[in-house]
Amino acid sequence: MNAPFTPGLQRAAQANAAELERRLRRDTAGEVAFDAASRGRYATDASIYQIMPTGVFVPRTPDDVAAAIGIAGELGTPLLSRGGGTSQCGQTTGAALVIDHSKYLRRVLSVDADKRIAEVEPGIVLDHLNAQLKQHGLWYPVDVSTSAQATLGGMAGNNSCGSRSIAYGNMVHNVAGIDGWLADGTLVSFGPVGQLGARERGIAEFVRGLAERHSAEIDARWPKVLRRVGGYNLDIFRPQSERPYTDDGSVNLAHLLVGSEGTLAITERLRLKLAPLPRAKVLGIVNYESFRAAMDSAQHIVKLEPTAVELVDRTMIELARANPAFRPVIERALIGAPAAILLVEFSGDERGELLRRLARLVELMADLGLPGSVVEMPDEAAQKALWEVRKAGLNIMMSLKGDGKPVSFIEDCAVPLEHLADYTDGLTEVFARHGTRGTWYAHASVGTLHVRPILDMRRDGAARMRAIAEEASELVRRYKGAYSGEHGDGLCRGEWVRWQFGPALDDALGEIKRHLDPAGLLNPGKIVATPKMDDASLFRFPPAYRTIPLTPVYDWSAWNVQNDPVTEATTAPGTGGDNTGGLAKAVEMCNNNGHCRKFDAGTMCPSYRVTRDEQHLTRGRANTIRLALSGQLGADTGFTSDAVAEALELCVGCKGCKRDCPTGVDMAKMKLEFAAQRAASHGISLRDRLIGRLPDIAPLAARLPWLFNLPGRMPALAERWLGISTRRRLPQWRRDNFTARENDLGLVTRDQALASAKAVVLFVDTFNGAFESDNAADAVLVLQAGGYDVFVATRANGKPLCCGRTKLAAGMADDAKATAAESLASLLPLVDAGLPVVGLEPSCLLTLRDEWLVMGLGDGAARLAPHALLLEEFLAREAAAGRFAPALRAASQPILVHGHCHQKAFGAMPEVLEVLRLIPGAEPKLIETSCCGMAGSFGYEAAHHEVSLQMAELALLPAVRAAPDAIVVADGTSCRHQIADGAGREAVHVARVLADHLQR
C-alpha cells in the first residue's frame, strides 16, 4: 500500500520548509506565508480536524500553480489544493503546502450559451458564477447550501450534490471536462474518452483495465443509490447506477477526478454543463407531529416529481427561532410546534402547472392521514428567505453552546427511500444507547440525511464516535446504502472506503492513486492510506487541549456552559480546559463553516470583501485568537500578541458577524476584549487616548472651538504624530452645540417627564450633540410634533450622557465602565418609571443594549436594555400603535437609505424604512451595503484610509453617485462623513428628513 500520510513525510516536508518558502518567493508572483499564524489559519476546515500545514501559497496565475508544483516536487513536499475551506470531513487539512485558489483564480473563462457549457477557474464561487450566467438565462444547478462560499474546484473535488440533485444530479453528472496538473507537473485534459490525448488515453486504459478486472466486485459492492461519493469513480467504466454519468452513457475521464479530493491532480480549469433557469418555483412546507412520519412520507412525495425535498428537524427549528435573523422566516413555515418539516419545491416554466402540483401535494398529505399539514408558499421572495434558513442548517445546529457539538462522521450515509424511516429509527436508537442524540437535516428526496450526534471531543467523544460509527455502518449495510453520500471521505470517512468497497476494490483505488501520483504528494492521507477517523492527534480539540490562564475584562460567562446531549439543557460551567472565563468557548463557536466568506449579501465581513485574505475574515480572526488562547502560536505568543493584533487590524467592529454568523461569533466584542487586554500590556497610544476621551473634551471644545478646530484637515506633521489622515475632513466643534440650544427647544424637566402621560428620555450622544446638533434638535421637533414631552437626561455631575463607546474602542475599559455607570445611574430611575430612552447614533444607543450587559454594571443594565430604542424603532412602534401620526407634507425627492452596521446587526433597518414611509408618497430604497468603511475613527487613520474607501466603493458610494437627485439617509455619524468624503454628497439623519417634512 502507498502510505504517504506518515510522521516521517511530515518531518521531511517541514525540514524543507525554509527552502520551499525561499523558492516560492523567488520564482513566483504569488503570496507566500509560512509564519505560525498564517499556517494555523489554514490548519483546519469545517471538520473536527486540525493539521498544521507546511506553508500557505496563494497563486495569482496558473503559471504560479505550475511553478509551485514543480518546486514542491523537487523538494518532496506534499501539496493540498483548497478553495473555500468549507470541507466537513477534513479534506482540506494536511501537512502540506496549501494552495489557496480562491483569491485570484476565480475567472469565468468562457460561456457557450448555445451548447450550455461554461469554462471556469477552480477558485470561482458558485454564486458568483451563477450571477454571471443569469444574463444568459442559465445556471449551474448543483446548488450546495454553501453556494456563497463554495468554489467550483472544491465542489468538483468533493463531488458535491446540493438540494436539487433529485432533478439535476451531482457534480459528476454536470462536469464536461477538467484540465489539471499531475503531480509531475504535466498539464493534462480529462474529458470524453474519444477526445483524449496520448497521456490521457494511457490513464483511461489503465483505469478501464482495473474496472474490467474487478467488474464482478463493482457490480456486487458499488452502492446503487444516487448519493454515493466514496472512493474514486472507478465505476465510470461500468455504469450500473440508476443515472449514468453522461447523457449518452459514454465514459468521460474527467469523472475520475470528480470526488477525488485533490489526490489525483490539481485543477487548472473546469468545463461545466449548464441548465436553463426555471422561470417559476412554488414551495409547500409539510408539518409533521413525528419525525418518523416525515421520513416515511418522503418516498411518496418524490413521486410528484419535485425538484427538492428538504428536511428541517425540531432542533434546527428551535435554533432558527432563537436567531433574530431567522425567527420571522421560519415561523411563517410552521403550523403549531412540529417535530419536523419537509420543504417540497416544484419548479419549471409554467406557474399554473406548478400550482396544480402543489395542490396535489396537499391532497397527498390528506391521503396519508395528514390533512391541513401543508403551508403553501407560492411567493418566491418568501421561498428564497426560507431556503436561506435551510442553507444555514448545519451552521445553525453548530450554534449550540458548550463543549458538546454536533460532530460530522456518519452524517452522509444514504439509503433507499423505502428504508429511510427504519434507518433513522435505528440510528436514533444507536445514539440513545451511547447517551446522545442526533441533529437532522438535509435531503429527504434522495435518502441522505445529515445527522450529527452531539459529542464532546475533549472528553469521551472519540470513543463514542467509534462505537456509533461501527453500529451505523451495520445499518447502512442492512439497508443497502452508501456510507459516504455527499460530503466526501476526507479524514473522517477515509478508513471506511475499504469497508464499503471491500479489499479488492480498495486495493484497486490504491493502484489508481499510485499510477497518477507515484510519490504520493497530492493531498496525502485522503481516500487512500488514510488515518483512523478517531486519531486524537488530528483533532482540533484533542483531550489534552487547554487554554492559557487569562482573566477577561468583560463578562463571557454566557458561553461557559455545558450542554446535555439528550435533554438539551445547559448548565454552567463546564470548563473543558477553558481558563478564560468563557472567552475561549465564545471563540470556539466558530466551526470554520466559512459563512463569513460572503460578498453579495449581509454585513460581514467588510474587510475580507476588500482584501480576500483569510487573515481578515471572521473565521481567520477566530482561528488566530483560538490558537493564541491555546498556546499554539508559540510560548511567547498569547492573546495580546502581534499575531492577534494583525488579525484584528482591519476588523471594523461592524457586528455583522453577531447577526450574520449562524453560530453567533461576535468578533466586535472579542476585539473590545483584545483592546482592553492589549492596552493593559502594551499601553495606549496618544491618538487612541485622545479619541477615547473625545466626550470628555466636548464641553471645553464647545466653549473654545477656535482652539480645538483644525483647519479642515489634519496637518502633515500631525499625521505623522497622531496617524490621522490628511485626506480626511475633520468634524468641527461648534459653540452652538445642542447644550447651548436646549433652552430654545421646549424641553421638559425631569419631574415633568415623570409626571407626563407621554414622555421620552432623549439620549443625546457626543457626535449629535457637539458636532451635528441639528440632528438632535430636529429629533426634538419630530417627537414634539407627535405629542411627546421630551426630557434630555444628563449625568449627576451635569455632563451629557455617554455610552463609553470611544473608551471601549481605545481599550480604556475602566474609564468606559465608570462613564457607563454614571449614565446608567441617571437613566435607571426614569426607565423604572416606564419612560423609554431614545437615541440617535446607532453605535452609541445600541451599546446600551449590548456592551453594557457585559461590563459588570449589575442588573440595572439588563433592566435598561429593552427600553433603549433608536429614534426609528421608537417611532415605528408608536406609529403601529396609533400614537404617532404627525402631519407630514408629501415627498418630492427619491430617498436612498444606507444602514449603519449596528442597525443591521440588531435588525433595526425595517423600522427606518417604516418611519420614512410615513411621509406621503415616500418610497425609500435601501442600499444593499456592508460597512461604509469609516467605523468610528478607523477611516480617519492614515494607515486605514485606502481600505476604508475600498469598503465604501464596494456598494455604497457607487449607489450614491447613481442617484444624484435622491435624499441620502444615513443615521451613522461616520457613515455621513464617508459619503461626504467619498461621493461629495451630504447625507442626513432620519430625524432631519422627518423634520423637513413636518407641516408647520
Side-chain angles (χ1 to χ4, degrees):
M1 290 288 291
N2 184 26
F5 195 87
T6 64
L9 183 62
Q10 293 182 43
R11 286 193 294 271
Q14 204 58 48
N16 290 329
E19 177 64 10
L20 177 64
E21 179 181 10
R22 186 187 71 81
R23 294 272 303 275
L24 289 172
R25 293 188 185 280
R26 185 192 71 185
D27 298 341
T28 77
E31 297 172 5
V32 181
F34 277 64
D35 61 283
S38 294
R39 291 187 295 119
R41 285 187 283 268
Y42 283 84
T44 190
D45 51 16
S47 71
I48 59 174
Y49 300 101
Q50 175 179 299
I51 304 172
M52 194 66 73
T54 304
V56 177
F57 181 59
V58 184
R60 295 178 184 273
T61 67
D63 287 344
D64 287 338
V65 181
I69 293 171
I71 295 168
E74 291 178 28
L75 298 175
T77 302
L79 294 165
L80 194 165
S81 292
R82 177 167 163 137
T86 61
S87 301
Q88 295 174 22
C89 302
Q91 290 95 321
T92 55
T93 65
L97 175 67
V98 174
I99 302 178
D100 182 352
H101 300 262
S102 67
K103 186 171 183 178
Y104 297 110
L105 301 180
R106 50 186 174 84
R107 295 177 298 164
V108 175
L109 300 172
S110 67
V111 175
D112 188 327
D114 293 331
K115 294 182 179 179
R116 296 179 184 170
I117 293 289
E119 192 167 66
V120 303
E121 290 183 316
I124 189 169
V125 170
L126 175 59
D127 276 356
H128 300 173
L129 170 62
N130 280 332
Q132 296 188 50
L133 294 175
K134 189 174 182 180
Q135 62 181 311
H136 302 288
L138 300 170
W139 73 313
Y140 191 65
V142 186
D143 58 333
V144 295
S145 62
T146 54
S147 60
Q149 303 89 39
T151 64
L152 269 299
M155 289 171 61
N158 215 41
N159 193 7
S160 296
C161 304
S163 299
R164 296 173 176 86
S165 63
I166 189 174
Y168 295 101
N170 308 342
M171 280 296 292
V172 75
H173 306 111
N174 293 280
V175 171
I178 297 176
D179 291 357
W181 293 276
L182 299 181
D184 64 6
T186 305
L187 183 62
V188 296
S189 183
F190 293 80
V193 291
Q195 304 171 20
L196 299 179
R199 180 70 180 268
E200 294 88 341
R201 283 199 304 273
I203 296 170
E205 289 307 312
F206 177 81
V207 178
R208 186 194 300 277
L210 286 175
E212 291 176 352
R213 189 189 324 157
H214 297 284
S215 59
E217 285 286 288
I218 293 174
D219 293 345
R221 288 184 171 272
W222 221 270
K224 303 304 186 291
V225 293
L226 174 65
R227 292 298 188 89
R228 71 287 192 289
V229 302
Y232 299 133
N233 292 318
L234 177 61
D235 65 326
I236 59 176
F237 287 94
R238 285 188 67 80
Q240 299 293 317
S241 65
E242 296 177 3
R243 179 189 177 106
Y245 289 160
T246 55
D247 295 334
D248 61 2
S250 64
V251 175
N252 187 323
L253 192 61
H255 299 159
L256 180 67
L257 298 188
V258 177
S260 66
E261 301 182 358
T263 62
L264 300 180
I266 293 177
T267 299
E268 190 259 347
R269 64 181 63 198
L270 303 100
R271 286 175 292 284
L272 307 173
K273 297 194 290 186
L274 311 177
L277 274 169
R279 295 179 182 176
K281 297 176 184 177
V282 298
L283 188 64
I285 303 98
V286 189
N287 286 246
Y288 297 90
E289 293 183 359
S290 73
F291 184 83
R292 180 180 173 84
M295 298 299 92
D296 192 51
S297 69
Q299 60 186 309
H300 305 292
I301 292 174
V302 296
K303 295 174 183 177
L304 300 177
E305 297 184 346
T307 46
V309 184
E310 294 291 293
L311 167 73
V312 178
D313 83 338
R314 179 177 59 85
T315 299
M316 180 175 161
I317 289 171
E318 294 308 315
L319 289 171
R321 275 177 159 164
N323 186 306
F326 297 143
R327 183 186 307 117
V329 178
I330 193 68
E331 289 184 345
R332 291 184 61 181
L334 305 180
I335 299 172
I341 59 176
L342 290 181
L343 280 59
V344 184
E345 180 191 81
F346 302 96
S347 65
D349 293 335
E350 208 280 296
R351 186 172 181 79
E353 170 58 23
L354 300 181
L355 292 172
R356 286 188 288 272
R357 292 166 71 183
L358 181 57
R360 287 198 289 273
L361 173 66
V362 174
E363 294 170 1
L364 171 65
M365 300 319 299
D367 292 342
L368 294 175
L370 297 170
S373 61
V374 181
V375 174
E376 298 180 57
M377 195 173 284
D379 178 65
E380 294 201 15
Q383 294 173 41
K384 182 179 179 182
L386 186 58
W387 278 116
E388 288 301 315
V389 176
R390 159 58 194 89
K391 280 187 172 185
L394 167 63
N395 300 325
I396 291 174
M397 289 179 176
M398 295 303 291
S399 65
L400 285 172
K401 292 181 178 178
D403 293 338
K405 301 289 185 185
V407 177
S408 168
F409 60 100
I410 58 165
E411 69 169 355
D412 276 4
C413 301
V415 299
L417 284 181
E418 61 268 24
H419 301 309
L420 189 56
D422 290 337
Y423 168 71
T424 54
D425 279 352
L427 204 51
T428 299
E429 292 172 5
V430 171
F431 296 156
R433 280 197 296 275
H434 294 283
T436 188
R437 62 184 174 89
T439 59
W440 305 80
Y441 75 106
H443 319 298
S445 59
V446 287
T448 299
L449 290 179
H450 298 326
V451 54
R452 294 190 169 201
I454 298 173
L455 302 174
D456 183 353
M457 301 308 293
R458 305 169 198 241
R459 295 179 177 84
D460 60 350
R464 289 201 286 170
M465 180 172 74
R466 168 64 62 184
I468 290 171
E470 297 283 357
E471 294 188 44
S473 66
E474 291 305 313
L475 288 173
V476 172
R477 179 157 285 164
R478 181 191 311 169
Y479 295 119
K480 302 185 186 305
Y483 195 80
S484 186
E486 179 179 3
H487 290 160
D489 295 326
L491 296 172
C492 74
R493 278 193 286 273
E495 69 166 287
W496 295 90
V497 171
R498 194 173 186 86
W499 172 92
Q500 179 81 73
F501 298 108
L505 287 179
D506 186 46
D507 290 346
L509 301 183
E511 290 186 56
I512 294 173
K513 170 69 172 175
R514 288 191 293 277
H515 187 78
L516 274 74
D517 180 19
L521 294 181
L522 299 183
N523 200 8
K526 317 303 189 306
I527 299 180
V528 172
T530 60
K532 292 291 186 181
M533 62 184 288
D534 53 349
D535 182 344
S537 68
L538 307 179
F539 290 163
R540 190 188 312 158
F541 299 113
Y545 182 87
R546 294 291 183 273
T547 58
I548 61 176
L550 179 74
T551 302
V553 172
Y554 302 109
D555 181 7
W556 297 91
S557 61
W559 285 268
N560 200 21
V561 300
Q562 187 64 29
N563 52 48
D564 186 299
V566 178
T567 66
E568 304 181 47
T570 57
T571 55
T575 62
D578 177 12
N579 299 309
T580 65
L583 171 62
K585 285 190 172 64
V587 175
E588 292 158 15
M589 290 300 292
C590 176
N591 71 327
N592 291 278
N593 62 72
H595 194 71
C596 40
R597 292 174 62 95
K598 297 191 304 181
F599 291 88
D600 304 320
T603 302
M604 72 172 180
C605 181
S607 51
Y608 173 75
R609 294 184 186 200
V610 169
T611 69
R612 293 179 179 264
D613 190 325
E614 185 77 17
Q615 176 176 269
H616 302 135
L617 185 63
T618 304
R619 177 180 72 181
R621 293 173 181 132
N623 272 321
T624 308
I625 295 173
R626 175 180 58 82
L627 292 164
L629 287 176
S630 55
Q632 296 185 69
L633 296 183
D636 300 323
T637 308
F639 181 50
T640 60
S641 66
D642 289 345
V644 177
E646 290 166 6
L648 292 174
E649 174 74 13
L650 299 187
C651 173
V652 293
C654 67
K655 297 183 187 286
C657 48
K658 178 184 176 69
R659 180 176 177 85
D660 289 357
C661 175
T663 61
V665 174
D666 191 346
M667 191 54 60
K669 193 171 293 181
M670 294 174 193
K671 185 173 183 179
L672 294 182
E673 179 71 45
F674 169 80
Q677 299 277 355
R678 178 90 168 181
S681 62
H682 290 69
I684 304 174
S685 69
L686 176 60
R687 180 192 66 207
D688 287 346
R689 197 174 295 278
L690 287 173
I691 292 173
R693 295 205 176 278
L694 201 66
D696 300 332
I697 298 169
L700 177 61
R703 291 196 294 271
L704 303 169
W706 54 269
L707 178 62
F708 285 84
N709 282 335
L710 292 167
R713 300 177 189 271
M714 182 67 65
L717 180 62
E719 175 176 300
R720 292 194 294 272
W721 183 37
L722 293 176
I724 301 296
S725 174
T726 59
R727 291 172 285 181
R728 286 289 185 188
R729 285 180 291 180
L730 301 174
Q732 297 294 292
W733 299 98
R734 48 195 290 180
R735 189 182 298 276
D736 62 333
N737 64 6
F738 182 79
T739 302
R741 301 167 64 180
E742 285 187 24
N743 292 336
D744 301 323
L745 294 175
L747 301 172
V748 301
T749 65
R750 179 189 182 92
D751 291 341
Q752 288 172 328
L754 289 170
S756 172
K758 197 176 180 182
V760 300
V761 178
L762 186 64
F763 188 115
V764 180
D765 59 273
T766 300
F767 307 104
N768 287 298
F771 298 116
E772 298 181 79
S773 56
D774 291 344
N775 295 336
D778 282 344
V780 173
L781 291 178
V782 170
L783 289 166
Q784 289 172 338
Y788 298 94
D789 292 322
V790 181
F791 170 62
V792 176
T794 62
R795 287 178 270 178
N797 55 15
K799 293 181 180 178
L801 294 177
C802 182
C803 67
R805 177 147 214 96
T806 57
K807 295 173 181 175
L808 286 171
M812 301 163 63
D814 291 340
D815 286 345
K817 291 178 181 180
T819 298
E822 291 174 356
S823 295
L824 177 61
S826 177
L827 290 171
L828 206 52
L830 298 164
V831 168
D832 289 340
L835 273 65
V837 176
V838 177
L840 304 176
E841 173 61 36
S843 62
C844 293
L845 187 282
L846 293 171
T847 299
L848 278 59
R849 300 215 310 243
D850 191 9
E851 284 81 7
W852 278 21
L853 298 177
V854 297
M855 289 172 65
L857 301 177
D859 67 350
R863 300 209 313 269
L864 168 66
H867 302 284
L869 303 168
L870 289 167
L871 177 67
E872 300 89 345
E873 292 179 304
F874 174 74
L875 295 181
R877 184 188 76 180
E878 297 295 285
R883 295 189 293 265
F884 178 72
L888 298 170
R889 63 178 177 82
S892 59
Q893 294 174 258
I895 299 177
L896 199 62
V897 182
H898 164 69
H900 187 284
C901 293
H902 295 185
Q903 283 177 301
K904 288 182 276 195
F906 282 83
M909 287 311 299
E911 289 88 343
V912 178
L913 301 178
E914 288 172 26
V915 168
L916 288 169
R917 290 191 190 106
L918 295 175
I919 301 171
E923 296 180 359
K925 179 182 177 182
L926 182 65
I927 308 172
E928 291 295 332
T929 58
S930 183
C931 181
C932 75
M934 282 298 282
S937 65
F938 179 88
Y940 285 99
E941 296 166 14
H944 299 146
H945 178 261
E946 290 299 330
V947 72
S948 168
L949 284 177
Q950 289 171 16
M951 290 183 199
E953 291 290 357
L954 289 173
L956 173 60
L957 296 183
V960 170
R961 295 186 192 110
D965 299 327
I967 298 172
V968 181
V969 177
D971 281 355
T973 299
S974 19
C975 305
R976 294 192 291 273
H977 282 257
Q978 182 75 295
I979 292 168
D981 283 351
R985 295 280 299 282
E986 180 188 21
V988 294
H989 194 282
V990 167
R992 286 189 58 190
V993 179
L994 294 175
D996 287 345
H997 286 80
L998 288 173
Q999 291 186 7
R1000 304 180 189 179

